[in-house]
Amino acid sequence: MLKSKGAAFGREAAIVWRKPQQLNHSRICKKTASVTSSSRLKIESIDEKWRRRWAKMATWIGTPEEGKKPKKYILSMFPYPSGSLHMGHLRVYTISDVLARFNHMRGYDVLHPMAWDAFGLPAENAAIERGVDPAEWTTQNISKMKAQLLEINAGFDWSRRIFLWLHEHDLAYRAESIVNYDPVDKTVLANEQVDANGCSWRSGAKVEKVKLKQWFLRITNFQESLLADLDSLAKDNRWPERILSMQHNWLGRSRGAIIKFEVLHGHDLGASTQVKVFTTRPDTLFGVQYIALAVDHPLVVSLSESNSDLKSFIDRAPSLPVDSKEGFLLPGVHARNPISILASSPDRTRIALPVYAAPYVLGSYGNGAIMGVPGHDARDHAFWKQNRGDETILRVIDPVESNGQANVRKRDSRVAAKPFEGSGKLNWLCGNLSGFGSAQASQLIVGELGRTGELAMQVETWRLRDWLISRQRYWGTPIPIIYCQNCGTVPVPVDQLPVELPAVKGDWFKSKNGNPLEATDEWVNTTCPTCKGKATRETDTMDTFMDSSWYFMRLIDPHNAIHPFSTEAAERYLPVDIYVGGVEHAILHLLYARFISKFFASTSLWPSGGGEQNKGEPFRRLVSQGMVHGKTFSDPGNGRFLRPEEVDQSDPSEPRILSSGQTANVSWEKMSKSKYNGVDPTDCIRKYGADAARAHILFQAPASEVLNWEEERITGIQRWFARVWRLTQETKYKAQADHQLLASPLTSQTPFNFPVLNPTSLTKTENYKWGQVQRTILSVTKNLSETFTLNTIISDLMELTNTLLQSNEACNSRLQYHAVTALLRMMAPVTPAVAEECWEELHSIRLDSSDQQQSSPAAPPISSIFESPFPTFDSSLAAIESQIQTCVIQENGKWRLAVEIAKPSRELMEEGKEEELREWVLRQIEATQEGRAWTRKIQDRGGMTWKRIIVVGGGKVVNFVQ
């Protein structure tokens, strides 16, 4: 199923499913009969066999021309080509592949592409460490990882102008600003790429603040829809709640008010500046005790020009801890509380307020200024205690008791030992507003200040800032801009796209000094496309998340040389129906992808935006898989991580350190080289087979939860495969004796016309088996299409396998055949090679029929199992369940177990037949697996003699009384 399709923006292009050509298994089976008729499933050989077989088929994909089928676009987040797969890759690509195969078998035109996250810091840093060109390093890794992806039996078919579009729509602009600078990677970072400790997301270095001219994208133009449409993504659990919450918090809309404070500075306080403060709590204005300004606030920067101490503090601020409450008191600078102009305000509100420069105030939030209310804000309280010591802290709002009355403080007690941050009622310190609730007081204060000097107004503010995309690195998408002294900023003409990176000598990659593009004169110096004069290229490249924000759109039309994609392809395939990836991308990648998707939905490229219900969102359903953790050993004495070979694991419950004999600490940690707990998935695949690895990683934990990788448990999957193989062979041999089944075309039996069987014509055992088939179809289909609890699929299929193996001799060949083909087709998305092998083995019965039968035009060849539809739930279960009842077994009135038995006939329920009914119910119980197990348990305890066996409700309850 793998076929080269070219590349898109430096990546492999679409990997998609096409309808396979019909393959004559009759001829193939003749050549491979010695293998497929083996009494043992040779798991070691079937992976390679079926990969070769699939490669001979056509690819598995629908095209826009095949518009009769409904589409399913299924995608997993594309990988950074690090050079080797890890267990997280195995998990995410197994999940998406299972869903793609399932929907293909349900008749959808499935698009299941793969691409590579080739540009960006990770690839460039790895290349620098090795002193090689990032292009060479990345190409080698793509080739290696592509080969590894083949080994997991995934159904992939391997088959520029976006910045200028944004620029034309005034969504890309260049501006000078204070930016986050990573001194290790020597590049600018977006706010989203700085962690809570003020460190770089990639290098871990302490981020510095510098002023540079940078390129931004106006993501804030879409902030309203980015926030509002989270509600639509929450419906029917389309996106996980925790990811929606993270995006909601990052967008950070706050409703409040702008309050204007007059700040006096200069000699004799003759000069003044109006400072705007955003607050969500205007009701606390009576408690303001200081004003704090961000270190990059214009007033602070201006004052630093004549104050060397302040300048030193500003320079030192980036190195302070993120939670630092250190401040710099601006000498000779004071502020007036605007509440003081109201006639009803107490005299103390007219006291001049100190003004600080404080790193804990963010220049990017609000207006870079806050009003300090230490009595009602924890951060302000901590700042006041550090900078003002034991000076009085005012509390102007009192909590409201459960009876609705304020817990009013005494008039002579104004000190707040700790801040009260809730809403309440204003106390006696608030003049005429004393007794008003927080909400009402806020409205009154803002309204009065607005009417008196326009000192307040209701507003909202956002945490979200425009997306900074400039990066001072070589290995990234070039920004297609030219700078001309005559014409200014000029976009690169479309006919000159794409702008390709120049080759850079390997010596530079060993020196690790900044951006080599700046020193590549022959590339930087160019001609202005407008005036033909001398010009230079932009040497910054785009953020690594730029490509990942729209690659899923490019993959629907990867060879379009004119547009990013065609309108026809967009309307056919967008949005992505199921997107699979990790929670670590909840903000960066997913937020940017939503922005770009909504932008395209505002253009002629995707005018429908996926319809009114979709609102231009890129991913209809998001499946967020948990991380894979490895078993980790450490020394209890010093905490050093231990290699597995340093530990005696002969007793898993008490692993001992070989060098000391001590019991090693055991934990489950994120897999990493430093913790010696990584597992190479290709080693596991070669040892156990790809399908065993796939089934095991799905079975061990729900997809959304952390998975603790325990390789030793994979033997349970192997035993299941052995049972399925035995069941297949038993069913095959039983079907060989059914001449009527052999005489009719298999396609009329299964899978194309799956019959609805009449339960009244079946025995109890057959009814039970067919009922289990129907229940499993219902459960597996729901889990693959709605809940995505993929671990229960494996347990359901294991249970069905065990059920079908029971009492084979009591089941007619036709029902057994239908049941087993249903099992194999449900297995196919999860274990494609095993399912194909068993499917071929089952249908090799055709080889033993007469030559006349083989050449009959009524017997078309049997093709791949993926040419068969996924089994569908039918109406037979209701009829079966109408003949079955749950029987609760009690011992001396206490519940022991419940089994399913047939309902007794009307004759057995007649008066006078109680003894006959009791014997019949006991036989029914004994015929069930659970009933036999309970009986054996009683025998193991030495047996019991029952005084009475009471049957209630025709067998609904059976009480065994001693």
Side-chain angles (χ1 to χ4, degrees):
M1 284 184 285
L2 301 166
K3 183 178 179 182
S4 177
K5 283 288 189 180
F9 45 83
R11 293 162 168 76
E12 290 283 348
I15 305 163
V16 282
W17 287 68
R18 280 189 204 280
K19 182 178 179 180
Q21 292 176 335
Q22 200 168 50
L23 188 64
N24 191 326
H25 277 238
S26 297
R27 290 196 297 263
I28 293 171
C29 287
K30 289 181 180 180
K31 298 178 181 179
T32 60
S34 61
V35 175
T36 57
S37 297
S38 171
S39 60
R40 185 178 72 86
L41 179 63
K42 294 184 178 180
I43 196 71
E44 304 87 353
S45 62
I46 65 170
D47 281 337
E48 185 59 32
K49 166 187 171 180
W50 284 102
R51 286 181 203 131
R52 289 197 307 268
R53 191 79 61 81
W54 290 326
K56 294 178 181 178
M57 299 181 189
T59 52
W60 294 78
I61 218 180
T63 64
E65 287 74 29
E66 294 178 354
K68 296 180 181 179
K69 288 184 178 181
K71 68 91 180 178
K72 281 287 183 182
Y73 185 0
I74 297 168
L75 183 66
S76 48
M77 294 181 183
F78 66 171
Y80 151 60
S82 60
S84 60
L85 293 179
H86 53 67
M87 296 307 294
H89 289 131
L90 176 62
R91 192 179 197 191
V92 67
Y93 300 131
T94 295
I95 291 170
S96 71
D97 185 62
V98 167
L99 298 176
R101 291 178 183 273
F102 164 70
N103 282 285
H104 167 76
M105 295 180 73
R106 294 180 80 196
Y108 286 96
D109 174 13
V110 175
L111 181 64
H112 184 215
M114 172 58 74
W116 302 101
D117 192 11
F119 280 141
L121 283 175
E124 184 170 345
N125 286 344
I128 288 174
E129 290 174 7
R130 294 160 177 81
V132 298
D133 187 333
E136 177 185 344
W137 166 254
T138 301
T139 302
Q140 290 174 352
N141 288 346
I142 287 175
S143 178
K144 181 179 178 182
M145 291 181 70
K146 182 175 175 180
Q148 290 175 315
L149 282 171
L150 283 172
E151 295 191 24
I152 71 171
N153 288 350
F156 296 130
D157 176 19
W158 301 84
S159 196
R160 31 200 190 245
R161 188 191 159 204
I162 185 170
F163 178 87
L164 296 184
W165 274 72
L166 292 161
H167 191 267
E168 290 168 9
H169 287 76
D170 196 32
L171 292 174
Y173 67 95
R174 194 174 186 231
E176 188 177 65
S177 68
I178 299 291
V179 295
N180 305 306
Y181 187 77
D182 184 330
V184 172
D185 282 337
K186 295 182 174 60
T187 190
V188 168
L189 303 174
N191 290 336
E192 296 87 341
Q193 293 169 325
V194 181
D195 68 19
N197 297 315
C199 298
S200 167
W201 73 293
R202 175 60 62 176
S203 73
K206 198 72 176 179
V207 171
E208 300 174 355
K209 297 287 186 179
V210 298
K211 181 173 281 190
L212 292 173
K213 276 194 172 182
Q214 304 287 291
W215 282 96
F216 295 83
L217 298 183
R218 298 187 198 274
I219 189 174
T220 53
N221 281 23
F222 291 82
Q223 60 191 15
E224 291 286 354
S225 62
L226 287 171
L227 180 63
D229 295 343
L230 290 176
D231 291 338
S232 67
L233 296 177
K235 292 179 181 177
D236 302 319
N237 298 314
R238 287 173 56 187
W239 280 38
E241 182 179 352
R242 59 177 174 169
I243 290 181
L244 294 174
S245 177
M246 292 168 74
Q247 291 224 348
H248 190 281
N249 292 336
W250 186 259
L251 291 166
R253 181 173 66 184
S254 301
R255 288 192 169 95
I258 290 290
I259 310 291
K260 297 177 183 179
F261 287 78
E262 184 182 12
V263 176
L264 306 175
H265 54 90
H267 295 293
D268 299 324
L269 302 181
S272 68
T273 299
Q274 200 172 62
V275 171
K276 296 179 180 180
V277 172
F278 173 79
T279 179
T280 59
R281 296 293 304 275
D283 56 320
T284 65
L285 198 57
F286 287 99
V288 175
Q289 293 186 262
Y290 68 93
I291 295 296
L293 305 177
V295 293
D296 58 350
H297 190 281
L299 178 58
V300 175
V301 174
S302 174
L303 293 173
S304 70
E305 295 175 358
S306 58
N307 188 321
S308 58
D309 291 339
L310 175 57
K311 181 66 167 61
S312 297
F313 178 78
I314 294 173
D315 293 340
R316 187 166 54 87
S319 63
L320 295 174
V322 174
D323 59 351
S324 172
K325 297 301 182 291
E326 188 172 343
F328 186 94
L329 179 63
L330 300 178
V333 181
H334 302 283
R336 289 175 179 169
N337 191 333
I339 202 74
S340 64
I341 70 170
L342 302 183
S344 60
S345 295
D347 290 341
R348 62 170 187 78
T349 61
R350 296 173 177 84
I351 298 173
L353 302 173
V355 180
Y356 286 86
Y360 88 99
V361 180
L362 302 177
S364 59
Y365 182 77
N367 295 283
I370 63 104
M371 59 184 208
V373 189
H376 298 284
D377 184 274
R379 294 183 306 164
D380 295 351
H381 187 277
F383 181 85
W384 184 265
K385 297 294 284 186
Q386 179 168 333
N387 292 276
R388 307 294 290 199
D390 294 329
E391 291 188 32
T392 299
I393 295 176
L394 302 178
R395 193 172 89 174
V396 298
I397 297 174
D398 292 321
V400 177
E401 303 294 348
S402 58
N403 60 7
Q405 298 298 315
N407 181 10
V408 180
R409 298 171 60 81
K410 295 180 180 179
R411 293 178 63 89
D412 59 350
S413 177
R414 296 181 296 173
V415 179
K418 60 181 181 179
F420 169 61
E421 297 185 282
S423 297
K425 288 189 176 181
L426 277 64
N427 63 25
W428 65 275
L429 293 171
C430 303
N432 289 348
L433 290 179
S434 174
F436 281 88
S438 290
Q440 186 180 9
S442 292
Q443 291 181 349
L444 291 171
I445 290 171
V446 173
E448 188 66 23
L449 290 179
R451 288 187 294 271
T452 308
E454 298 183 351
L455 295 177
M457 60 184 297
Q458 297 282 358
V459 296
E460 68 177 25
T461 189
W462 297 72
R463 181 186 180 190
L464 181 69
R465 291 293 178 265
D466 281 343
W467 178 11
L468 170 60
I469 64 165
S470 291
R471 297 294 180 269
Q472 292 69 46
R473 299 300 293 237
Y474 165 74
W475 190 239
T477 303
I479 296 176
I481 290 293
I482 291 172
Y483 300 110
C484 174
Q485 289 185 350
N486 299 321
C487 305
T489 301
V490 181
V492 173
V494 174
D495 61 3
Q496 295 180 23
L497 294 176
V499 177
E500 296 185 359
L501 292 171
V504 177
K505 295 180 180 180
D507 291 345
W508 177 85
F509 295 106
K510 296 177 181 178
S511 65
K512 309 179 184 180
N513 289 323
N515 183 0
L517 293 178
E518 296 173 350
T520 311
D521 294 339
E522 62 275 18
W523 184 83
V524 173
N525 297 317
T526 186
T527 301
C528 174
T530 302
C531 71
K532 309 305 178 184
K534 292 182 179 180
T536 58
R537 293 187 186 279
E538 171 64 71
T539 57
D540 286 355
T541 54
M542 296 188 211
D543 181 10
T544 184
F545 288 99
M546 188 68 183
D547 288 334
S548 64
S549 70
W550 74 287
Y551 79 103
F552 53 92
M553 294 179 157
R554 178 63 178 175
L555 291 178
I556 65 175
D557 193 8
H559 306 297
N560 193 322
I562 300 174
H563 299 293
F565 49 86
S566 69
T567 300
E568 293 74 20
E571 298 296 359
R572 169 65 177 158
Y573 283 109
L574 294 178
V576 175
D577 292 284
I578 303 174
Y579 196 39
V580 185
V583 70
E584 64 270 20
H585 300 293
I587 295 176
L588 296 173
H589 164 54
L590 292 176
L591 183 63
Y592 295 154
R594 294 183 64 217
F595 159 50
I596 296 298
S597 179
K598 288 179 179 296
F599 160 66
F600 275 123
S602 70
T603 72
S604 60
L605 281 180
W606 190 28
S608 75
E612 180 60 30
Q613 298 299 315
N614 191 63
K615 303 179 185 297
E617 290 291 339
F619 313 119
R620 195 183 304 278
R621 186 71 186 262
L622 179 64
V623 177
S624 178
Q625 94 282 355
M627 302 184 74
V628 181
H629 286 183
K631 197 172 189 178
T632 311
F633 301 102
S634 61
D635 190 320
N638 54 27
R640 181 177 68 88
F641 291 111
L642 303 169
R643 292 180 173 84
E645 56 268 24
E646 295 181 82
V647 182
D648 178 3
Q649 302 180 53
S650 56
D651 182 359
S653 64
E654 197 171 354
R656 294 193 173 275
I657 303 173
L658 292 173
S659 60
S660 65
Q662 285 185 293
T663 301
N665 288 338
V666 179
S667 60
W668 294 94
E669 310 269 354
K670 178 182 176 181
M671 290 185 178
S672 69
K673 293 179 181 178
S674 63
K675 296 177 182 178
Y676 311 111
N677 63 352
V679 176
D680 187 339
T682 55
D683 290 343
C684 179
I685 288 169
R686 289 164 188 167
K687 184 176 180 180
Y688 301 103
D691 283 4
R694 287 164 59 104
H696 181 61
I697 206 164
L698 293 178
F699 186 41
Q700 286 296 288
S704 60
E705 296 181 10
V706 170
L707 184 153
N708 293 333
W709 179 259
E710 297 180 86
E711 188 170 303
E712 60 274 13
R713 295 192 176 186
I714 205 169
T715 55
I717 299 294
Q718 292 179 309
R719 289 193 294 270
W720 172 43
F721 288 170
R723 293 195 298 275
V724 172
W725 182 248
R726 178 161 61 91
L727 174 64
T728 300
Q729 291 191 314
E730 290 178 2
T731 303
K732 165 192 168 181
Y733 297 136
K734 191 166 189 173
Q736 284 178 315
D738 189 332
H739 298 291
Q740 186 178 0
L741 179 62
L742 286 175
S744 58
L746 286 173
T747 51
S748 70
Q749 298 293 322
T750 187
F752 302 99
N753 285 323
F754 203 75
V756 178
L757 302 182
N758 182 3
T760 60
S761 66
L762 304 177
T763 66
K764 173 183 171 295
T765 298
E766 291 169 344
N767 261 327
Y768 176 74
K769 285 191 174 186
W770 192 246
Q772 287 299 97
V773 169
Q774 290 297 302
R775 292 186 189 94
T776 304
I777 292 172
L778 187 63
S779 174
V780 170
T781 301
K782 183 177 181 179
N783 288 331
L784 284 172
S785 58
E786 298 178 24
T787 64
F788 303 109
T789 49
L790 306 184
N791 58 315
T792 62
I793 293 173
I794 309 299
S795 57
D796 285 345
L797 295 176
M798 286 179 171
E799 184 178 352
L800 180 60
T801 303
N802 294 338
T803 298
L804 297 181
L805 278 169
Q806 296 167 14
S807 306
N808 253 347
E809 66 285 348
C811 187
N812 75 71
S813 60
R814 191 158 303 178
L815 181 138
Q816 184 77 4
Y817 173 78
H818 292 317
V820 171
T821 56
L823 169 66
L824 296 180
R825 283 178 287 146
M826 285 188 280
M827 288 177 61
V830 179
T831 59
V834 170
E836 288 272 34
E837 186 75 6
C838 292
W839 186 260
E840 181 179 89
E841 172 71 8
L842 179 62
H843 294 106
S844 65
I845 56 176
R846 301 286 300 281
L847 299 176
D848 299 326
S849 60
S850 66
D851 291 338
Q852 181 180 1
Q853 169 65 24
Q854 288 185 33
S855 60
S856 170
I862 300 300
S863 125
S864 165
I865 194 171
F866 292 101
E867 272 290 83
S868 305
F870 199 83
T872 54
F873 173 75
D874 63 35
S875 59
S876 62
L877 181 60
I880 290 172
E881 289 183 336
S882 68
Q883 303 179 48
I884 295 175
Q885 65 182 3
T886 299
C887 173
V888 175
I889 298 174
Q890 299 176 337
E891 289 183 28
N892 300 316
K894 294 183 178 180
W895 185 93
R896 286 294 178 262
L897 72 156
V899 298
E900 288 193 344
I901 65 174
K903 290 183 178 179
S905 63
R906 292 182 180 178
E907 290 78 10
L908 283 174
M909 295 293 291
E910 292 176 358
E911 188 175 354
K913 292 192 175 182
E914 291 79 9
E915 181 67 25
E916 188 177 346
L917 173 64
R918 183 166 55 249
E919 293 300 320
W920 181 86
V921 169
L922 293 178
R923 288 195 302 272
Q924 292 289 313
I925 294 172
E926 184 66 23
T928 67
Q929 184 179 7
E930 299 90 341
R932 290 193 297 272
W934 175 68
T935 303
R936 285 194 299 271
K937 185 181 293 187
I938 292 176
Q939 291 172 347
D940 293 341
R941 298 198 315 243
M944 290 187 183
T945 301
W946 308 110
K947 293 180 180 179
R948 287 188 300 166
I949 300 176
I950 304 171
V951 177
V952 180
K956 292 181 179 178
V957 177
V958 180
N959 187 14
F960 292 80
V961 182
Q962 284 183 297

